[in-house]
mmCIF file of all heavy atoms in Angstrom:
data_model
loop_
_atom_site.group_PDB
_atom_site.id
_atom_site.type_symbol
_atom_site.label_atom_id
_atom_site.label_comp_id
_atom_site.label_asym_id
_atom_site.label_seq_id
_atom_site.Cartn_x
_atom_site.Cartn_y
_atom_site.Cartn_z
ATOM 1 N N MET A 1 -1.049 10.063 2.560
ATOM 2 C CA MET A 1 -0.232 10.967 1.770
ATOM 3 C C MET A 1 -0.388 10.603 0.292
ATOM 4 O O MET A 1 -0.319 9.433 -0.079
ATOM 5 C CB MET A 1 1.228 10.799 2.216
ATOM 6 C CG MET A 1 2.257 11.328 1.263
ATOM 7 S SD MET A 1 3.933 10.948 1.812
ATOM 8 C CE MET A 1 4.271 9.465 0.859
ATOM 9 N N TYR A 2 -0.583 11.640 -0.523
ATOM 10 C CA TYR A 2 -0.668 11.378 -1.956
ATOM 11 C C TYR A 2 0.713 11.052 -2.522
ATOM 12 O O TYR A 2 1.682 11.747 -2.255
ATOM 13 C CB TYR A 2 -1.256 12.581 -2.697
ATOM 14 C CG TYR A 2 -2.759 12.611 -2.627
ATOM 15 C CD1 TYR A 2 -3.407 13.441 -1.736
ATOM 16 C CD2 TYR A 2 -3.514 11.782 -3.441
ATOM 17 C CE1 TYR A 2 -4.794 13.460 -1.642
ATOM 18 C CE2 TYR A 2 -4.901 11.783 -3.371
ATOM 19 C CZ TYR A 2 -5.535 12.626 -2.469
ATOM 20 O OH TYR A 2 -6.901 12.623 -2.395
ATOM 21 N N VAL A 3 0.777 9.983 -3.268
ATOM 22 C CA VAL A 3 2.016 9.575 -3.924
ATOM 23 C C VAL A 3 1.951 9.968 -5.402
ATOM 24 O O VAL A 3 2.880 10.532 -5.953
ATOM 25 C CB VAL A 3 2.220 8.051 -3.807
ATOM 26 C CG1 VAL A 3 3.450 7.605 -4.579
ATOM 27 C CG2 VAL A 3 2.321 7.653 -2.345
ATOM 28 N N CYS A 4 0.829 9.672 -6.019
ATOM 29 C CA CYS A 4 0.618 9.961 -7.436
ATOM 30 C C CYS A 4 -0.493 11.005 -7.563
ATOM 31 O O CYS A 4 -1.665 10.695 -7.366
ATOM 32 C CB CYS A 4 0.233 8.679 -8.168
ATOM 33 S SG CYS A 4 -0.125 8.913 -9.906
ATOM 34 N N LEU A 5 -0.087 12.214 -7.867
ATOM 35 C CA LEU A 5 -1.070 13.286 -7.979
ATOM 36 C C LEU A 5 -1.895 13.155 -9.250
ATOM 37 O O LEU A 5 -3.074 13.504 -9.275
ATOM 38 C CB LEU A 5 -0.370 14.646 -7.948
ATOM 39 C CG LEU A 5 0.307 14.991 -6.621
ATOM 40 C CD1 LEU A 5 1.017 16.342 -6.728
ATOM 41 C CD2 LEU A 5 -0.696 15.009 -5.480
ATOM 42 N N CYS A 6 -1.300 12.642 -10.297
ATOM 43 C CA CYS A 6 -2.028 12.503 -11.563
ATOM 44 C C CYS A 6 -3.249 11.601 -11.406
ATOM 45 O O CYS A 6 -4.304 11.848 -11.986
ATOM 46 C CB CYS A 6 -1.128 11.941 -12.641
ATOM 47 S SG CYS A 6 0.212 13.036 -13.139
ATOM 48 N N LYS A 7 -3.086 10.536 -10.622
ATOM 49 C CA LYS A 7 -4.147 9.542 -10.489
ATOM 50 C C LYS A 7 -4.796 9.549 -9.111
ATOM 51 O O LYS A 7 -5.686 8.728 -8.835
ATOM 52 C CB LYS A 7 -3.582 8.137 -10.763
ATOM 53 C CG LYS A 7 -3.030 7.956 -12.166
ATOM 54 C CD LYS A 7 -4.153 7.890 -13.178
ATOM 55 C CE LYS A 7 -3.620 7.661 -14.572
ATOM 56 N NZ LYS A 7 -4.678 7.379 -15.532
ATOM 57 N N GLY A 8 -4.343 10.419 -8.213
ATOM 58 C CA GLY A 8 -4.934 10.489 -6.884
ATOM 59 C C GLY A 8 -4.696 9.237 -6.044
ATOM 60 O O GLY A 8 -5.582 8.801 -5.308
ATOM 61 N N ILE A 9 -3.497 8.679 -6.160
ATOM 62 C CA ILE A 9 -3.175 7.437 -5.448
ATOM 63 C C ILE A 9 -2.335 7.757 -4.222
ATOM 64 O O ILE A 9 -1.375 8.526 -4.290
ATOM 65 C CB ILE A 9 -2.410 6.476 -6.384
ATOM 66 C CG1 ILE A 9 -3.310 6.101 -7.565
ATOM 67 C CG2 ILE A 9 -1.952 5.232 -5.630
ATOM 68 C CD1 ILE A 9 -2.579 5.416 -8.695
ATOM 69 N N THR A 10 -2.708 7.156 -3.094
ATOM 70 C CA THR A 10 -2.021 7.406 -1.830
ATOM 71 C C THR A 10 -1.133 6.223 -1.452
ATOM 72 O O THR A 10 -1.221 5.144 -2.045
ATOM 73 C CB THR A 10 -3.040 7.617 -0.698
ATOM 74 O OG1 THR A 10 -3.751 6.393 -0.489
ATOM 75 C CG2 THR A 10 -4.020 8.735 -1.035
ATOM 76 N N ASP A 11 -0.305 6.440 -0.419
ATOM 77 C CA ASP A 11 0.519 5.345 0.102
ATOM 78 C C ASP A 11 -0.353 4.209 0.617
ATOM 79 O O ASP A 11 -0.009 3.049 0.504
ATOM 80 C CB ASP A 11 1.485 5.843 1.181
ATOM 81 C CG ASP A 11 0.788 6.556 2.317
ATOM 82 O OD1 ASP A 11 -0.312 7.100 2.112
ATOM 83 O OD2 ASP A 11 1.349 6.579 3.433
ATOM 84 N N LYS A 12 -1.517 4.547 1.146
ATOM 85 C CA LYS A 12 -2.434 3.502 1.645
ATOM 86 C C LYS A 12 -2.939 2.620 0.492
ATOM 87 O O LYS A 12 -3.069 1.405 0.643
ATOM 88 C CB LYS A 12 -3.611 4.131 2.386
ATOM 89 C CG LYS A 12 -4.532 3.090 3.009
ATOM 90 C CD LYS A 12 -5.599 3.737 3.852
ATOM 91 C CE LYS A 12 -6.422 2.724 4.637
ATOM 92 N NZ LYS A 12 -6.865 1.569 3.896
ATOM 93 N N HIS A 13 -3.211 3.225 -0.645
ATOM 94 C CA HIS A 13 -3.621 2.436 -1.814
ATOM 95 C C HIS A 13 -2.550 1.400 -2.159
ATOM 96 O O HIS A 13 -2.864 0.253 -2.497
ATOM 97 C CB HIS A 13 -3.855 3.335 -3.034
ATOM 98 C CG HIS A 13 -5.101 4.166 -2.970
ATOM 99 N ND1 HIS A 13 -5.083 5.537 -3.071
ATOM 100 C CD2 HIS A 13 -6.389 3.820 -2.811
ATOM 101 C CE1 HIS A 13 -6.321 5.988 -2.985
ATOM 102 N NE2 HIS A 13 -7.133 4.964 -2.826
ATOM 103 N N ILE A 14 -1.288 1.818 -2.085
ATOM 104 C CA ILE A 14 -0.189 0.902 -2.404
ATOM 105 C C ILE A 14 -0.141 -0.238 -1.390
ATOM 106 O O ILE A 14 -0.043 -1.412 -1.754
ATOM 107 C CB ILE A 14 1.152 1.669 -2.455
ATOM 108 C CG1 ILE A 14 1.137 2.651 -3.629
ATOM 109 C CG2 ILE A 14 2.341 0.702 -2.581
ATOM 110 C CD1 ILE A 14 2.306 3.610 -3.669
ATOM 111 N N ARG A 15 -0.232 0.099 -0.113
ATOM 112 C CA ARG A 15 -0.196 -0.949 0.926
ATOM 113 C C ARG A 15 -1.400 -1.884 0.790
ATOM 114 O O ARG A 15 -1.272 -3.107 0.929
ATOM 115 C CB ARG A 15 -0.156 -0.312 2.319
ATOM 116 C CG ARG A 15 1.157 0.404 2.616
ATOM 117 C CD ARG A 15 1.289 0.740 4.095
ATOM 118 N NE ARG A 15 0.222 1.590 4.586
ATOM 119 C CZ ARG A 15 0.238 2.920 4.565
ATOM 120 N NH1 ARG A 15 1.277 3.563 4.073
ATOM 121 N NH2 ARG A 15 -0.786 3.607 5.031
ATOM 122 N N ASP A 16 -2.572 -1.309 0.515
ATOM 123 C CA ASP A 16 -3.774 -2.135 0.355
ATOM 124 C C ASP A 16 -3.628 -3.094 -0.826
ATOM 125 O O ASP A 16 -4.111 -4.232 -0.777
ATOM 126 C CB ASP A 16 -5.012 -1.255 0.165
ATOM 127 C CG ASP A 16 -5.434 -0.559 1.450
ATOM 128 O OD1 ASP A 16 -4.901 -0.898 2.531
ATOM 129 O OD2 ASP A 16 -6.291 0.347 1.375
ATOM 130 N N SER A 17 -2.976 -2.629 -1.879
ATOM 131 C CA SER A 17 -2.773 -3.470 -3.051
ATOM 132 C C SER A 17 -1.882 -4.663 -2.702
ATOM 133 O O SER A 17 -2.156 -5.802 -3.108
ATOM 134 C CB SER A 17 -2.150 -2.623 -4.168
ATOM 135 O OG SER A 17 -1.887 -3.401 -5.292
ATOM 136 N N VAL A 18 -0.830 -4.410 -1.911
ATOM 137 C CA VAL A 18 0.040 -5.502 -1.458
ATOM 138 C C VAL A 18 -0.762 -6.463 -0.582
ATOM 139 O O VAL A 18 -0.708 -7.696 -0.761
ATOM 140 C CB VAL A 18 1.257 -4.944 -0.679
ATOM 141 C CG1 VAL A 18 2.072 -6.077 -0.059
ATOM 142 C CG2 VAL A 18 2.137 -4.100 -1.599
ATOM 143 N N ASP A 19 -1.533 -5.918 0.344
ATOM 144 C CA ASP A 19 -2.325 -6.758 1.246
ATOM 145 C C ASP A 19 -3.342 -7.604 0.472
ATOM 146 O O ASP A 19 -3.701 -8.703 0.895
ATOM 147 C CB ASP A 19 -3.060 -5.890 2.276
ATOM 148 C CG ASP A 19 -2.106 -5.277 3.297
ATOM 149 O OD1 ASP A 19 -0.962 -5.755 3.398
ATOM 150 O OD2 ASP A 19 -2.508 -4.311 3.968
ATOM 151 N N ALA A 20 -3.807 -7.073 -0.652
ATOM 152 C CA ALA A 20 -4.800 -7.792 -1.456
ATOM 153 C C ALA A 20 -4.162 -8.833 -2.370
ATOM 154 O O ALA A 20 -4.862 -9.513 -3.114
ATOM 155 C CB ALA A 20 -5.621 -6.801 -2.279
ATOM 156 N N GLY A 21 -2.816 -8.927 -2.328
ATOM 157 C CA GLY A 21 -2.181 -10.021 -3.053
ATOM 158 C C GLY A 21 -1.289 -9.643 -4.204
ATOM 159 O O GLY A 21 -0.762 -10.533 -4.879
ATOM 160 N N ALA A 22 -1.111 -8.349 -4.468
ATOM 161 C CA ALA A 22 -0.203 -7.970 -5.550
ATOM 162 C C ALA A 22 1.188 -8.512 -5.246
ATOM 163 O O ALA A 22 1.744 -8.236 -4.185
ATOM 164 C CB ALA A 22 -0.158 -6.451 -5.702
ATOM 165 N N GLY A 23 1.730 -9.299 -6.158
ATOM 166 C CA GLY A 23 2.968 -10.015 -5.876
ATOM 167 C C GLY A 23 4.231 -9.316 -6.323
ATOM 168 O O GLY A 23 5.328 -9.839 -6.107
ATOM 169 N N SER A 24 4.098 -8.165 -6.939
ATOM 170 C CA SER A 24 5.278 -7.443 -7.410
ATOM 171 C C SER A 24 4.919 -5.963 -7.549
ATOM 172 O O SER A 24 3.732 -5.596 -7.586
ATOM 173 C CB SER A 24 5.721 -7.978 -8.773
ATOM 174 O OG SER A 24 4.728 -7.694 -9.741
ATOM 175 N N PHE A 25 5.954 -5.142 -7.650
ATOM 176 C CA PHE A 25 5.688 -3.723 -7.845
ATOM 177 C C PHE A 25 4.998 -3.491 -9.185
ATOM 178 O O PHE A 25 4.115 -2.646 -9.300
ATOM 179 C CB PHE A 25 6.993 -2.925 -7.753
ATOM 180 C CG PHE A 25 6.787 -1.449 -7.892
ATOM 181 C CD1 PHE A 25 6.032 -0.745 -6.964
ATOM 182 C CD2 PHE A 25 7.346 -0.760 -8.952
ATOM 183 C CE1 PHE A 25 5.823 0.628 -7.087
ATOM 184 C CE2 PHE A 25 7.150 0.609 -9.086
ATOM 185 C CZ PHE A 25 6.393 1.298 -8.152
ATOM 186 N N ARG A 26 5.387 -4.276 -10.170
ATOM 187 C CA ARG A 26 4.746 -4.170 -11.479
ATOM 188 C C ARG A 26 3.242 -4.405 -11.373
ATOM 189 O O ARG A 26 2.440 -3.717 -12.014
ATOM 190 C CB ARG A 26 5.376 -5.177 -12.438
ATOM 191 C CG ARG A 26 4.762 -5.162 -13.833
ATOM 192 C CD ARG A 26 5.441 -6.179 -14.709
ATOM 193 N NE ARG A 26 6.830 -5.823 -14.900
ATOM 194 C CZ ARG A 26 7.456 -5.862 -16.067
ATOM 195 N NH1 ARG A 26 6.814 -6.264 -17.127
ATOM 196 N NH2 ARG A 26 8.717 -5.520 -16.161
ATOM 197 N N GLU A 27 2.876 -5.390 -10.555
ATOM 198 C CA GLU A 27 1.455 -5.698 -10.390
ATOM 199 C C GLU A 27 0.724 -4.571 -9.663
ATOM 200 O O GLU A 27 -0.417 -4.244 -9.993
ATOM 201 C CB GLU A 27 1.305 -7.021 -9.636
ATOM 202 C CG GLU A 27 -0.063 -7.630 -9.793
ATOM 203 C CD GLU A 27 -0.140 -9.036 -9.221
ATOM 204 O OE1 GLU A 27 0.885 -9.735 -9.203
ATOM 205 O OE2 GLU A 27 -1.236 -9.400 -8.784
ATOM 206 N N VAL A 28 1.385 -3.988 -8.657
ATOM 207 C CA VAL A 28 0.789 -2.836 -7.969
ATOM 208 C C VAL A 28 0.539 -1.713 -8.971
ATOM 209 O O VAL A 28 -0.540 -1.108 -9.004
ATOM 210 C CB VAL A 28 1.705 -2.343 -6.827
ATOM 211 C CG1 VAL A 28 1.219 -1.013 -6.274
ATOM 212 C CG2 VAL A 28 1.796 -3.384 -5.716
ATOM 213 N N ARG A 29 1.530 -1.460 -9.793
ATOM 214 C CA ARG A 29 1.394 -0.401 -10.801
ATOM 215 C C ARG A 29 0.222 -0.685 -11.730
ATOM 216 O O ARG A 29 -0.563 0.212 -12.061
ATOM 217 C CB ARG A 29 2.674 -0.273 -11.624
ATOM 218 C CG ARG A 29 3.783 0.441 -10.899
ATOM 219 C CD ARG A 29 4.980 0.636 -11.790
ATOM 220 N NE ARG A 29 4.642 1.423 -12.980
ATOM 221 C CZ ARG A 29 5.522 1.919 -13.818
ATOM 222 N NH1 ARG A 29 6.810 1.727 -13.609
ATOM 223 N NH2 ARG A 29 5.147 2.620 -14.858
ATOM 224 N N ARG A 30 0.125 -1.931 -12.152
ATOM 225 C CA ARG A 30 -0.935 -2.298 -13.094
ATOM 226 C C ARG A 30 -2.314 -2.177 -12.436
ATOM 227 O O ARG A 30 -3.247 -1.621 -13.011
ATOM 228 C CB ARG A 30 -0.706 -3.725 -13.594
ATOM 229 C CG ARG A 30 -1.626 -4.149 -14.725
ATOM 230 C CD ARG A 30 -1.403 -5.595 -15.129
ATOM 231 N NE ARG A 30 -1.503 -6.521 -14.012
ATOM 232 C CZ ARG A 30 -2.644 -6.899 -13.451
ATOM 233 N NH1 ARG A 30 -3.782 -6.429 -13.900
ATOM 234 N NH2 ARG A 30 -2.648 -7.745 -12.448
ATOM 235 N N GLN A 31 -2.418 -2.671 -11.214
ATOM 236 C CA GLN A 31 -3.716 -2.648 -10.523
ATOM 237 C C GLN A 31 -4.206 -1.225 -10.290
ATOM 238 O O GLN A 31 -5.397 -0.937 -10.401
ATOM 239 C CB GLN A 31 -3.607 -3.360 -9.171
ATOM 240 C CG GLN A 31 -3.643 -4.854 -9.264
ATOM 241 C CD GLN A 31 -3.641 -5.518 -7.890
ATOM 242 O OE1 GLN A 31 -3.699 -4.855 -6.861
ATOM 243 N NE2 GLN A 31 -3.552 -6.828 -7.879
ATOM 244 N N LEU A 32 -3.282 -0.355 -9.893
ATOM 245 C CA LEU A 32 -3.679 0.998 -9.506
ATOM 246 C C LEU A 32 -3.591 1.999 -10.651
ATOM 247 O O LEU A 32 -4.019 3.136 -10.504
ATOM 248 C CB LEU A 32 -2.805 1.486 -8.337
ATOM 249 C CG LEU A 32 -2.871 0.664 -7.046
ATOM 250 C CD1 LEU A 32 -1.893 1.224 -6.019
ATOM 251 C CD2 LEU A 32 -4.285 0.667 -6.476
ATOM 252 N N ASP A 33 -3.017 1.567 -11.773
ATOM 253 C CA ASP A 33 -2.744 2.478 -12.882
ATOM 254 C C ASP A 33 -1.779 3.575 -12.416
ATOM 255 O O ASP A 33 -1.899 4.748 -12.775
ATOM 256 C CB ASP A 33 -4.039 3.086 -13.418
ATOM 257 C CG ASP A 33 -3.895 3.567 -14.849
ATOM 258 O OD1 ASP A 33 -2.977 3.081 -15.540
ATOM 259 O OD2 ASP A 33 -4.700 4.423 -15.265
ATOM 260 N N LEU A 34 -0.836 3.143 -11.586
ATOM 261 C CA LEU A 34 0.132 4.038 -10.930
ATOM 262 C C LEU A 34 1.260 4.386 -11.884
ATOM 263 O O LEU A 34 1.724 3.524 -12.635
ATOM 264 C CB LEU A 34 0.673 3.303 -9.697
ATOM 265 C CG LEU A 34 1.800 3.903 -8.888
ATOM 266 C CD1 LEU A 34 1.318 5.141 -8.149
ATOM 267 C CD2 LEU A 34 2.317 2.890 -7.886
ATOM 268 N N ALA A 35 1.698 5.634 -11.835
ATOM 269 C CA ALA A 35 2.836 6.104 -12.638
ATOM 270 C C ALA A 35 2.595 5.958 -14.136
ATOM 271 O O ALA A 35 3.535 5.770 -14.902
ATOM 272 C CB ALA A 35 4.128 5.391 -12.234
ATOM 273 N N SER A 36 1.351 6.035 -14.541
ATOM 274 C CA SER A 36 1.032 5.810 -15.954
ATOM 275 C C SER A 36 0.856 7.110 -16.729
ATOM 276 O O SER A 36 0.630 7.082 -17.927
ATOM 277 C CB SER A 36 -0.251 4.984 -16.058
ATOM 278 O OG SER A 36 -1.322 5.689 -15.475
ATOM 279 N N GLN A 37 0.967 8.231 -16.026
ATOM 280 C CA GLN A 37 0.779 9.498 -16.733
ATOM 281 C C GLN A 37 2.118 10.228 -16.850
ATOM 282 O O GLN A 37 2.864 9.985 -17.779
ATOM 283 C CB GLN A 37 -0.274 10.340 -16.026
ATOM 284 C CG GLN A 37 -1.089 11.168 -17.012
ATOM 285 C CD GLN A 37 -2.401 11.605 -16.432
ATOM 286 O OE1 GLN A 37 -3.098 10.828 -15.792
ATOM 287 N NE2 GLN A 37 -2.735 12.853 -16.636
ATOM 288 N N CYS A 38 2.481 11.053 -15.865
ATOM 289 C CA CYS A 38 3.764 11.767 -15.972
ATOM 290 C C CYS A 38 4.931 10.894 -15.527
ATOM 291 O O CYS A 38 6.070 11.139 -15.903
ATOM 292 C CB CYS A 38 3.741 13.064 -15.170
ATOM 293 S SG CYS A 38 3.899 12.823 -13.390
ATOM 294 N N GLY A 39 4.648 9.903 -14.657
ATOM 295 C CA GLY A 39 5.676 8.971 -14.216
ATOM 296 C C GLY A 39 6.543 9.453 -13.065
ATOM 297 O O GLY A 39 7.392 8.718 -12.573
ATOM 298 N N LYS A 40 6.334 10.689 -12.611
ATOM 299 C CA LYS A 40 7.205 11.258 -11.568
ATOM 300 C C LYS A 40 7.075 10.540 -10.230
ATOM 301 O O LYS A 40 7.954 10.635 -9.389
ATOM 302 C CB LYS A 40 6.898 12.744 -11.376
ATOM 303 C CG LYS A 40 7.382 13.591 -12.512
ATOM 304 C CD LYS A 40 7.064 15.050 -12.258
ATOM 305 C CE LYS A 40 7.555 15.907 -13.415
ATOM 306 N NZ LYS A 40 7.063 17.282 -13.336
ATOM 307 N N CYS A 41 5.969 9.860 -10.018
ATOM 308 C CA CYS A 41 5.725 9.210 -8.733
ATOM 309 C C CYS A 41 6.390 7.837 -8.640
ATOM 310 O O CYS A 41 6.398 7.229 -7.571
ATOM 311 C CB CYS A 41 4.227 9.050 -8.528
ATOM 312 S SG CYS A 41 3.450 8.118 -9.862
ATOM 313 N N GLY A 42 6.935 7.342 -9.729
ATOM 314 C CA GLY A 42 7.412 5.966 -9.759
ATOM 315 C C GLY A 42 8.455 5.645 -8.708
ATOM 316 O O GLY A 42 8.377 4.606 -8.049
ATOM 317 N N ILE A 43 9.430 6.533 -8.520
ATOM 318 C CA ILE A 43 10.524 6.245 -7.584
ATOM 319 C C ILE A 43 10.012 6.234 -6.146
ATOM 320 O O ILE A 43 10.310 5.319 -5.376
ATOM 321 C CB ILE A 43 11.669 7.262 -7.774
ATOM 322 C CG1 ILE A 43 12.347 7.002 -9.118
ATOM 323 C CG2 ILE A 43 12.683 7.157 -6.631
ATOM 324 C CD1 ILE A 43 13.376 8.046 -9.498
ATOM 325 N N VAL A 44 9.222 7.234 -5.791
ATOM 326 C CA VAL A 44 8.688 7.288 -4.423
ATOM 327 C C VAL A 44 7.740 6.120 -4.179
ATOM 328 O O VAL A 44 7.763 5.496 -3.109
ATOM 329 C CB VAL A 44 7.963 8.633 -4.162
ATOM 330 C CG1 VAL A 44 7.233 8.614 -2.830
ATOM 331 C CG2 VAL A 44 8.957 9.771 -4.198
ATOM 332 N N ALA A 45 6.935 5.792 -5.164
ATOM 333 C CA ALA A 45 6.011 4.662 -5.017
ATOM 334 C C ALA A 45 6.785 3.368 -4.790
ATOM 335 O O ALA A 45 6.409 2.546 -3.946
ATOM 336 C CB ALA A 45 5.132 4.542 -6.255
ATOM 337 N N ARG A 46 7.875 3.199 -5.504
ATOM 338 C CA ARG A 46 8.699 2.004 -5.339
ATOM 339 C C ARG A 46 9.287 1.944 -3.928
ATOM 340 O O ARG A 46 9.362 0.887 -3.307
ATOM 341 C CB ARG A 46 9.809 2.017 -6.396
ATOM 342 C CG ARG A 46 10.772 0.860 -6.293
ATOM 343 C CD ARG A 46 10.077 -0.406 -6.718
ATOM 344 N NE ARG A 46 10.728 -1.577 -6.195
ATOM 345 C CZ ARG A 46 10.952 -2.692 -6.905
ATOM 346 N NH1 ARG A 46 10.577 -2.756 -8.157
ATOM 347 N NH2 ARG A 46 11.498 -3.732 -6.354
ATOM 348 N N GLU A 47 9.736 3.086 -3.421
ATOM 349 C CA GLU A 47 10.281 3.134 -2.056
ATOM 350 C C GLU A 47 9.219 2.749 -1.033
ATOM 351 O O GLU A 47 9.500 2.031 -0.070
ATOM 352 C CB GLU A 47 10.827 4.536 -1.751
ATOM 353 C CG GLU A 47 12.129 4.828 -2.481
ATOM 354 C CD GLU A 47 12.581 6.272 -2.338
ATOM 355 O OE1 GLU A 47 11.882 7.059 -1.654
ATOM 356 O OE2 GLU A 47 13.617 6.612 -2.917
ATOM 357 N N ILE A 48 8.011 3.230 -1.220
ATOM 358 C CA ILE A 48 6.918 2.886 -0.298
ATOM 359 C C ILE A 48 6.623 1.392 -0.379
ATOM 360 O O ILE A 48 6.457 0.724 0.650
ATOM 361 C CB ILE A 48 5.671 3.730 -0.614
ATOM 362 C CG1 ILE A 48 5.931 5.182 -0.234
ATOM 363 C CG2 ILE A 48 4.439 3.179 0.096
ATOM 364 C CD1 ILE A 48 4.914 6.150 -0.752
ATOM 365 N N TYR A 49 6.581 0.878 -1.584
ATOM 366 C CA TYR A 49 6.350 -0.555 -1.783
ATOM 367 C C TYR A 49 7.442 -1.381 -1.079
ATOM 368 O O TYR A 49 7.142 -2.294 -0.311
ATOM 369 C CB TYR A 49 6.330 -0.859 -3.278
ATOM 370 C CG TYR A 49 6.303 -2.323 -3.619
ATOM 371 C CD1 TYR A 49 5.098 -3.030 -3.619
ATOM 372 C CD2 TYR A 49 7.477 -2.993 -3.955
ATOM 373 C CE1 TYR A 49 5.076 -4.380 -3.932
ATOM 374 C CE2 TYR A 49 7.451 -4.340 -4.267
ATOM 375 C CZ TYR A 49 6.249 -5.024 -4.252
ATOM 376 O OH TYR A 49 6.238 -6.363 -4.558
ATOM 377 N N ASP A 50 8.710 -1.029 -1.322
ATOM 378 C CA ASP A 50 9.824 -1.783 -0.724
ATOM 379 C C ASP A 50 9.801 -1.703 0.794
ATOM 380 O O ASP A 50 9.995 -2.712 1.476
ATOM 381 C CB ASP A 50 11.166 -1.249 -1.236
ATOM 382 C CG ASP A 50 11.451 -1.671 -2.667
ATOM 383 O OD1 ASP A 50 10.816 -2.633 -3.144
ATOM 384 O OD2 ASP A 50 12.312 -1.024 -3.305
ATOM 385 N N SER A 51 9.570 -0.521 1.333
ATOM 386 C CA SER A 51 9.619 -0.399 2.793
ATOM 387 C C SER A 51 8.438 -1.122 3.428
ATOM 388 O O SER A 51 8.563 -1.657 4.529
ATOM 389 C CB SER A 51 9.680 1.067 3.226
ATOM 390 O OG SER A 51 8.441 1.678 3.109
ATOM 391 N N TYR A 52 7.286 -1.187 2.713
ATOM 392 C CA TYR A 52 6.160 -1.934 3.270
ATOM 393 C C TYR A 52 6.463 -3.430 3.280
ATOM 394 O O TYR A 52 6.181 -4.118 4.265
ATOM 395 C CB TYR A 52 4.884 -1.651 2.487
ATOM 396 C CG TYR A 52 3.646 -2.195 3.159
ATOM 397 C CD1 TYR A 52 3.380 -1.928 4.503
ATOM 398 C CD2 TYR A 52 2.747 -2.990 2.465
ATOM 399 C CE1 TYR A 52 2.259 -2.427 5.130
ATOM 400 C CE2 TYR A 52 1.611 -3.494 3.091
ATOM 401 C CZ TYR A 52 1.377 -3.214 4.412
ATOM 402 O OH TYR A 52 0.265 -3.714 5.035
ATOM 403 N N LEU A 53 7.069 -3.926 2.214
ATOM 404 C CA LEU A 53 7.439 -5.347 2.189
ATOM 405 C C LEU A 53 8.437 -5.670 3.293
ATOM 406 O O LEU A 53 8.351 -6.719 3.938
ATOM 407 C CB LEU A 53 8.065 -5.712 0.841
ATOM 408 C CG LEU A 53 7.143 -5.903 -0.343
ATOM 409 C CD1 LEU A 53 7.921 -6.490 -1.498
ATOM 410 C CD2 LEU A 53 5.956 -6.776 -0.014
ATOM 411 N N ASN A 54 9.367 -4.764 3.534
ATOM 412 C CA ASN A 54 10.386 -4.992 4.555
ATOM 413 C C ASN A 54 9.829 -4.879 5.965
ATOM 414 O O ASN A 54 10.500 -5.258 6.921
ATOM 415 C CB ASN A 54 11.551 -4.009 4.380
ATOM 416 C CG ASN A 54 12.375 -4.340 3.155
ATOM 417 O OD1 ASN A 54 12.442 -5.493 2.753
ATOM 418 N ND2 ASN A 54 12.982 -3.341 2.559
ATOM 419 N N SER A 55 8.627 -4.356 6.108
ATOM 420 C CA SER A 55 8.050 -4.203 7.447
ATOM 421 C C SER A 55 7.348 -5.481 7.912
ATOM 422 O O SER A 55 6.899 -5.553 9.047
ATOM 423 C CB SER A 55 7.052 -3.033 7.457
ATOM 424 O OG SER A 55 5.871 -3.384 6.758
ATOM 425 N N TYR A 56 7.245 -6.475 7.024
ATOM 426 C CA TYR A 56 6.585 -7.727 7.434
ATOM 427 C C TYR A 56 7.470 -8.508 8.385
ATOM 428 O O TYR A 56 8.656 -8.528 8.274
ATOM 429 C CB TYR A 56 6.263 -8.597 6.209
ATOM 430 C CG TYR A 56 4.971 -8.208 5.549
ATOM 431 C CD1 TYR A 56 4.972 -7.452 4.377
ATOM 432 C CD2 TYR A 56 3.741 -8.572 6.112
ATOM 433 C CE1 TYR A 56 3.771 -7.096 3.773
ATOM 434 C CE2 TYR A 56 2.543 -8.218 5.514
ATOM 435 C CZ TYR A 56 2.572 -7.487 4.346
ATOM 436 O OH TYR A 56 1.398 -7.131 3.749
HETATM 437 FE FE1 FES B 101 1.914 9.607 -10.856
HETATM 438 FE FE2 FES B 101 2.031 11.650 -12.523
HETATM 439 S S1 FES B 101 2.265 11.666 -10.363
HETATM 440 S S2 FES B 101 1.760 9.572 -13.021
#
């Protein structure tokens, strides 16, 4: 599912970033250049990040 339409970033990209060692949501954002354009995806992206961390 696309999370960030501006940058073409999916929920899988976010999970992969966590799996690759991103230690914070800020780091995920930086690695993927997420929410850097219109910013509308930030809240949903954060929810995906949090729920993935809680699934461990
Ligand atoms: Fe992510 Fe616009 S939808 S920056």
Side-chain angles (χ1 to χ4, degrees):
M1 162 185 97
Y2 278 101
V3 176
C4 177
L5 294 178
C6 293
K7 298 288 182 171
I9 297 167
T10 66
D11 55 334
K12 184 174 188 314
H13 287 123
I14 294 171
R15 291 193 301 272
D16 287 350
S17 178
V18 173
D19 289 344
S24 66
F25 182 63
R26 179 180 296 225
E27 198 171 331
V28 170
R29 283 185 60 169
R30 188 183 54 76
Q31 281 184 5
L32 299 177
D33 203 21
L34 174 69
S36 62
Q37 214 160 316
C38 76
K40 288 181 180 170
C41 57
I43 290 173
V44 172
R46 177 71 202 223
E47 287 172 1
I48 290 168
Y49 171 83
D50 286 342
S51 76
Y52 190 51
L53 283 190
N54 289 332
S55 72
Y56 276 102

